[in-house]
Structures are given as structure tokens and as C-alpha cells.
Amino acid sequence: MARTVVDGLDMTGKARGMLLRWQRSIRGDWLGVVHYQVHYADGRPRPRIFRDQLVPGYALEPRTDSVPLG
């Protein structure tokens, strides 16, 4: 049974972020160190910002806007 927590974070779709730098893993994979924002499911006007997070390179793509996060 699917359940929705009304005040939870909406982790579906893509998140806007900012790439700070690239880091290599011991296996040679590329990881991006990023800040990104995630919106709340209840429609709050300000998203939650997660800073200095490691994200696999394959999950990153260039942004098409230049609007600041937040």
C-alpha cells in the first residue's frame, strides 16, 4: 500500500543543484560534490537545501537555468 507523508520531502523527479567539484572514488568512478534543493510535499515555498553531498556522476546533468538555489 502506497503512503504519502504530507509534510515529507518530495524525492521524486529531478532536483536543482550546484556542482562544487569532482572527486574520484577508489574504483575510478566520478562523484560530484554538490549542494541541491528538495521541496516539501506540502508545497512550502522554501525548499530544503542539502550541502556538500556526494552524488554519483551518472546522476548529474547540467542545469538549464542560472537561478540561485533556495
Side-chain angles (χ1 to χ4, degrees):
M1 170 172 34
R3 184 177 137 203
T4 301
V5 178
V6 178
D7 61 347
L9 295 170
D10 182 0
M11 300 303 288
T12 62
K14 295 181 181 181
R16 292 179 64 244
M18 179 174 66
L19 176 66
L20 303 173
R21 66 184 179 277
W22 289 103
Q23 186 70 45
R24 296 232 3 184
S25 75
I26 62 170
R27 293 183 183 182
D29 301 323
W30 285 102
L31 304 167
V33 179
V34 300
H35 296 338
Y36 64 91
Q37 67 184 27
V38 177
H39 290 274
Y40 285 92
D42 62 8
R44 294 178 205 187
R46 299 207 47 106
R48 173 86 189 264
I49 305 291
F50 294 92
R51 300 183 188 285
D52 297 322
Q53 302 294 306
L54 286 173
V55 176
Y58 65 80
L60 301 174
E61 62 183 53
R63 279 181 32 198
T64 58
D65 67 19
S66 58
V67 178
L69 299 181

